[in-house]
Amino acid sequence: MIKLCGAVMLINLSIASCHAFNITYKGGPRIKSDDGNFEIGLNGRGHFDGHVLYSDHANPDYPAFGSQLIKGNDRDGSNWRRTYATITGRFHSINFKFENDFAVNAASPFPHSLREAWVSTQLGPGQLTLGQFKPYRGLEEITSSNEITLMERPSTSSTGIYSGRQFLTGIGYRSMLRDNLGMGIHVMSLSHFGLPLEGITYGGRAVWLPLDKDGNRLHLGFSISRDTSNKDSLPARIVDVYGGRLGVTQSLGVAGAGFGAPHSNSQSTFSAEAAYAIGPLTLQGEYALSRLDNTHQVNGNLRNSIIHAYYAQASWFVTGEHAIYRKDRGAFGKPQPSGKWGALELVGRYDLAENIDQSLIANPCGTGTSKCQVQVITFGVNWYPYQGIRFMLNYYLSEAMMGHTGSGTPERNDNLSAISVRTQISF
């Protein structure tokens, strides 16, 4: 009976598609009704990464962090970073998106593997969205993983400031108020599908384009957010990852980690962003200032922590292409290769994150040192032989500066270098 019903449905769909639907394949297969009231499409992406890490030399006086790896290559290897299947569509005035990452199913089975899963509709000049999606935060955070210039996002994103809180569930509203002015606001729980709806975050982002022409575009923006976590929600914490995704992590503080802290604790963040794209050259940077409540105690009193993070990045298309701008996101994307041999892009970035309240008395980072700072210099080469295909090579020079542990102890600077490569396919 199931086979018979399936056959009947397929026959009816085939007949209907001949008379009422159009099927296109550009940018992925897509079915659209002749009356324009229904459409549905399928997209996908696969990111296959490889990693080689080089720890610093062992210090007989104080072992460096990188040298504490069990072996010099114990984190080397390769993995499927992402294997997304994405369904998007529209039914009359309702838009929808359903995206699952099959690369994480073993460690985080469905529904934890869901990335974006939402419905939206036009409301006034903008779009009202309900479900799971990215909060409206910084420039690199809102950029698609298919279009970020380097393999890892900087510390002003969910790789640092918003650690573990990239996709959240709630409601958001985004609109272009004018052709060169956009905004977005959100109210969400600190959870994703598969977790209890606990904690809350609210905030928003605004962008302005003083120059708004292809090949000569200036982007300015800022975002604010306040994340209040509890024991059952995702934590409000800042964890910086350096040396690539399989590199080393350094905690810069956790809201509510101080002894005697209340159950609910907050992280308040302000972030400013700027980018200028002229011809094949794109310059961009962000600065984020974040306060974590009740991270530690000093003389029996709870104290907060201030963390600042920033990066500066430059990319250049040797083959002459220029970055495109996606106004629906308020972020840059990658161009279609124009030459016979594709597009070649060179990029460099300096990234820093620091808890400025770390000292020998105050210890929000949990290192017991006088300083808590992470710096990463990344160089990258991207080759786009065809649209939807990219090969990436990243080289990282990382340093976690911990200062000293007391009188007479040497400075603890933990160095790590790494190489990462990626084969990226999307449709």
Side-chain angles (χ1 to χ4, degrees), residues 54-59 61-69 242-243 248-251 367-369 371-377 396-405 410-417:
Y54 301 92
S55 58
D56 55 358
H57 296 293
N59 186 328
D61 297 322
Y62 199 99
F65 194 88
S67 301
Q68 292 174 343
L69 300 175
Y242 61 99
V248 180
T249 61
Q250 174 59 55
S251 173
T367 58
T369 54
K371 196 171 187 178
C372 183
Q373 180 190 95
V374 176
Q375 301 179 83
V376 183
I377 298 174
Y396 313 93
L397 289 170
S398 306
E399 183 178 50
M401 300 181 66
M402 300 302 173
H404 55 86
T405 58
E411 291 284 322
R412 178 180 170 184
N413 296 328
D414 305 338
N415 304 312
L416 182 70
S417 61

Side-chain angles (χ1 to χ4, degrees), residues 274-341:
Y276 182 47
I278 178 169
L281 177 67
T282 301
L283 306 173
Q284 73 178 60
E286 296 183 66
Y287 176 82
L289 187 67
S290 189
R291 188 189 75 176
L292 293 172
D293 293 344
N294 303 319
T295 56
H296 60 288
Q297 276 196 359
V298 176
N299 297 324
N301 298 315
L302 286 169
R303 302 293 188 190
N304 304 325
S305 286
I306 299 296
I307 294 91
H308 71 152
Y310 62 87
Y311 74 90
Q313 177 178 296
S315 69
W316 174 47
F317 279 96
V318 179
T319 45
E321 292 83 356
H322 63 268
I324 61 175
Y325 190 79
R326 304 192 182 281
K327 289 189 176 182
D328 60 331
R329 286 181 174 266
F332 287 92
K334 298 307 175 185
Q336 181 176 350
S338 59
K340 178 180 178 181
W341 302 104

Side-chain angles (χ1 to χ4, degrees), residues 73-85:
N73 64 347
D74 75 322
R75 300 187 187 211
D76 295 355
S78 59
N79 67 297
W80 281 103
R81 177 71 171 272
R82 300 177 183 93
T83 53
Y84 284 11

Side-chain angles (χ1 to χ4, degrees), residues 121-142:
T121 188
Q122 189 77 17
L123 181 64
Q127 200 83 0
L128 181 69
T129 304
L130 177 66
Q132 179 166 293
F133 53 95
K134 287 183 179 181
Y136 305 133
R137 287 170 169 165
L139 176 61
E140 273 292 285
E141 178 66 6
I142 209 71

Side-chain angles (χ1 to χ4, degrees), residues 96 357 369 389:
F96 59 88
D357 287 298
T369 54
I389 298 178

Side-chain angles (χ1 to χ4, degrees), residues 45 97-100 113-118 132-134 167 193 329:
R45 73 187 69 171
K97 183 175 184 179
F98 181 89
E99 185 171 73
N100 190 70
S113 58
L114 283 173
R115 292 300 174 255
E116 294 192 52
W118 49 258
Q132 179 166 293
F133 53 95
K134 287 183 179 181
F167 296 98
F193 287 148
R329 286 181 174 266

